[in-house]
Amino acid sequence: NGSLYYTSGSPHTNNPYTSTSTNTSPSVSSGQSHVQTPSADGGISTLRHRHQPSALATPVKNGGTAKTLKTPPTSNKKLKRFDLFEKIESDLTVKTNNGGILAIASWALIIVLVLNEISTHRYANLSTKENPKVDTSLGKDRRMSVNINITFPGLHCDDLHLDVMDVAGDSHSNLDNDKEHLMIKRRLNLDGSPIRANAETVKANKAAMEELKRQEIKKATLKEDYCGPCYGASSDVRKCCNTCDELLEAYREKRWDAISITYTSEQCIREGRDKKEIKRMSKGEGCNIAGTLRVNKVAGNFHIAMGEAVDTNGRHIHQFLPDDAINFNASHIINELSFGKKVPAGLDSASEKESLNGITKVVKAETGASGVFHYFVKIVPTNYTDSKGNVVLETNRYSYTERFTPLMTDLDEEHYALGDNENTAGADVGGQKKPGQTHEHHWKQNSILPGVFFIYEIYPFALEVSKEYVPLSHLIIRLMAVIGGVLTVSSWIDSAMYSRERKK
């Protein structure tokens, strides 16, 4: 086994440097050397050192065949110089209770920090970054799409009128020629369920456009051979209806409704007999208006207000009965309001949070019975880009503020009896009195137009929105730093605790 063999010589030998020995150990095939030294009793000792053999044969009991043991290959000393991980035998290590507790706490902390790093990395890849720049798209597209879906639970569709205008004075009377413009309103029951009826197409500024046509008819000069249309009521005897009376008589002969034709026929309009009474509010139904509205890319507003509006002398005027204003139910639910192309779900969470989608406003008797809602909208052109900087979507973000003005206000909050306060004048108008008051609850109707107004303004700069991308290598580096840092600090604490225990 590569050990040293010691053999004692006989003390009776004449030659002190020669000796005989009996070798009962296994024979070695090669690699054996002899060294003779004098022994303590006057004899001679022979030291035989067996060099490391390549293989060692060992005897097997019962005369078996010898078994050869292979030795491990020699390690490269040059590689050992680069080994940073020194090994310590397990017999030389000491384990303590405090070390075990500290190890459990360290691994628990590592698990918490690793999960936090993974969550942070995932959130970072879902976040976006924004870069402002000058907007150059105002001259590319003259118009902007407005996507609307608003429900009025207590407003009849007959009383729902949509009007659009901008700061340039354009009342958008030519929206019918825009293929992308389509607005539809549907009748609803008071519980919100739809009424089975055909959807009606909404024309923005309908009354204003009809008024323009009336003015054109009145200004037109008739030809000498003029033959007025009878609007389907002509016969073999009556081919032309040149006056309003002839038209009404033709309708009566057909037993048709002659009143409705007076408001639309050119004969009655020319004679000034198209004036109709202002319609009172209808009740018992709700209405939903939805679709895409096309507006100019300048500041303006669109609104749904009481009465039909006409443009007179450059002024936008709504025609309604003031005593009927309290019956205009301005309660509404904004299901959707967006400007430009719709942003896919999940692409931009910030715009979803700032939008008016889902806003519900309900007007009750305690809040003025009716009123006017103003939404002041600030529109920011927004471009969404991919990781390479290419624009994938051009649309608009917006933020808003709101204001509500009630139709009815209370006048009795600060009316006190005369003499109760030297510096306050009062008036006794009768009715049930409260302490310090001289009359019962009274309401005053404000001079406002009930409705819902959206006043928008477009900013001259644009936002470029792109998704943040954090590579996986950053996560791996942070995880390694967390694990290594916790274990290093824990080892420092454990060493300090162990040193303190040994000093006690």
Side-chain angles (χ1 to χ4, degrees):
N1 297 331
S3 61
L4 295 174
Y5 291 84
Y6 175 80
T7 305
S8 299
S10 174
H12 306 288
T13 307
N14 295 327
N15 188 359
Y17 294 100
T18 60
S19 65
T20 59
S21 62
T22 303
N23 185 11
T24 59
S25 61
S27 60
V28 181
S29 58
S30 61
Q32 180 173 299
S33 62
H34 302 268
V35 179
Q36 293 182 343
T37 59
S39 63
D41 55 358
I44 296 175
S45 299
T46 302
L47 293 176
R48 292 184 297 175
H49 179 264
R50 184 171 297 157
H51 298 284
Q52 184 69 31
S54 60
L56 179 65
T58 57
V60 182
K61 293 182 178 180
N62 301 327
T65 307
K67 183 178 180 181
T68 302
L69 298 177
K70 293 183 178 180
T71 59
T74 303
S75 301
N76 193 335
K77 294 183 179 180
K78 293 183 179 180
L79 290 177
K80 290 182 179 180
R81 297 177 182 176
F82 298 99
D83 187 4
L84 299 177
F85 310 100
E86 297 180 353
K87 283 76 176 175
I88 301 176
E89 296 293 339
S90 60
D91 296 339
L92 303 178
T93 59
V94 178
K95 296 183 181 294
T96 62
N97 292 333
N98 291 336
I101 296 173
L102 187 60
I104 294 174
S106 299
W107 284 112
L109 179 60
I110 287 174
I111 293 174
V112 172
L113 293 178
V114 166
L115 294 177
N116 180 68
E117 288 294 333
I118 294 174
S119 176
T120 303
H121 180 267
R122 183 179 178 184
Y123 176 78
N125 281 327
L126 294 177
S127 61
T128 58
K129 61 180 180 180
E130 303 172 357
N131 297 319
K133 65 177 185 178
V134 178
D135 184 25
T136 58
S137 63
L138 292 178
K140 295 180 181 179
D141 189 2
R142 194 173 60 88
R143 285 190 172 175
M144 175 178 61
S145 299
V146 182
N147 305 303
I148 303 173
N149 189 331
I150 305 176
T151 300
F152 292 85
L155 184 63
H156 200 285
C157 281
D158 292 344
D159 302 320
L160 193 152
H161 309 287
L162 176 65
D163 296 282
V164 186
M165 56 190 308
D166 57 39
V167 293
D170 190 354
S171 60
H172 298 73
S173 58
N174 57 344
L175 288 176
D176 292 340
N177 300 326
D178 196 327
K179 296 181 180 179
E180 296 185 26
H181 169 76
L182 179 61
M183 297 295 297
I184 295 175
K185 58 183 179 181
R186 296 178 176 86
R187 297 169 58 190
L188 303 175
N189 292 311
L190 293 179
D191 59 359
S193 60
I195 297 176
R196 293 184 178 180
N198 295 330
E200 181 183 351
T201 302
V202 180
K203 291 185 177 181
N205 304 326
K206 180 181 178 181
M209 289 187 291
E210 292 177 351
E211 181 64 25
L212 288 176
K213 293 179 180 179
R214 293 191 187 96
Q215 297 299 328
E216 292 176 358
I217 292 173
K218 292 179 179 180
K219 294 178 181 179
T221 303
L222 299 180
K223 299 180 180 180
E224 295 181 358
D225 56 347
Y226 170 76
C227 179
C230 294
Y231 300 93
S234 59
S235 60
D236 297 336
V237 178
R238 191 188 303 275
K239 298 292 184 180
C240 301
C241 300
N242 294 333
T243 63
C244 184
D245 291 332
E246 292 179 0
L247 177 61
L248 296 179
E249 185 178 351
Y251 262 65
R252 295 189 187 98
E253 291 176 357
K254 295 284 186 179
R255 295 183 179 180
W256 292 351
D257 182 14
I259 297 177
S260 59
I261 196 63
T262 58
Y263 306 130
T264 57
S265 63
E266 61 178 63
Q267 295 90 334
C268 297
I269 292 175
R270 190 180 299 109
E271 297 175 11
R273 299 172 61 177
D274 59 326
K275 303 298 181 182
K276 57 181 178 181
E277 295 182 358
I278 298 176
K279 177 184 173 299
R280 286 190 169 270
M281 300 293 298
S282 302
K283 296 183 179 181
E285 290 186 12
C287 189
N288 172 265
I289 180 171
T292 300
L293 179 67
R294 298 281 286 173
V295 298
N296 293 335
K297 266 191 172 181
V298 294
N301 78 84
F302 58 92
H303 55 270
I304 299 169
M306 183 176 183
E308 294 184 339
V310 294
D311 294 332
T312 304
N313 298 327
R315 301 178 63 186
H316 190 75
I317 301 174
H318 283 257
Q319 300 174 333
F320 65 95
L321 299 175
D323 61 340
D324 197 29
I326 197 171
N327 295 321
F328 184 91
N329 193 332
S331 302
H332 60 279
I333 303 170
I334 303 177
N335 303 308
E336 179 188 0
L337 178 64
S338 60
F339 298 83
K341 296 180 181 179
K342 297 181 181 180
V343 180
L347 181 61
D348 189 1
S349 58
S351 63
E352 295 174 2
K353 294 179 181 179
E354 296 176 358
S355 67
L356 280 164
N357 298 351
I359 294 295
T360 300
K361 301 294 183 181
V362 179
V363 180
K364 300 179 180 179
E366 296 81 5
T367 56
S370 185
V372 55
F373 291 90
H374 287 99
Y375 294 98
F376 301 94
V377 181
K378 307 294 184 180
I379 302 174
V380 181
T382 306
N383 299 327
Y384 293 89
T385 60
D386 56 15
S387 58
K388 297 181 180 180
N390 300 322
V391 178
V392 296
L393 178 64
E394 293 185 5
T395 182
N396 300 280
R397 276 187 186 179
Y398 69 89
S399 59
Y400 71 94
T401 56
E402 58 181 295
R403 184 180 68 185
F404 171 69
T405 304
L407 176 66
M408 309 296 293
T409 54
D410 186 10
L411 293 179
D412 302 330
E413 294 181 357
E414 297 181 358
H415 284 201
Y416 302 95
L418 184 62
D420 291 348
N421 190 333
E422 296 180 358
N423 299 323
T424 304
D428 189 353
V429 295
Q432 185 178 1
K433 300 180 182 179
K434 296 180 181 180
Q437 288 184 322
T438 60
H439 57 284
E440 61 182 0
H441 195 74
H442 287 282
W443 294 93
K444 172 191 174 183
Q445 181 171 331
N446 296 318
S447 300
I448 62 172
L449 174 63
V452 181
F453 289 74
F454 298 89
I455 299 96
Y456 58 88
E457 180 182 352
I458 304 176
Y459 280 135
F461 63 87
L463 279 180
E464 189 174 89
V465 181
S466 59
K467 275 198 169 186
E468 291 278 5
Y469 174 71
V470 181
L472 183 61
S473 59
H474 287 203
L475 175 62
I476 296 175
I477 293 172
R478 294 183 68 87
L479 291 180
M480 293 175 65
V482 166
I483 296 173
V486 172
L487 293 179
T488 301
V489 173
S490 299
S491 66
W492 293 346
I493 297 174
D494 181 66
S495 298
M497 295 173 64
Y498 182 67
S499 299
R500 185 179 180 182
E501 287 181 358
R502 292 187 63 185
K503 291 180 181 179
K504 290 182 179 180

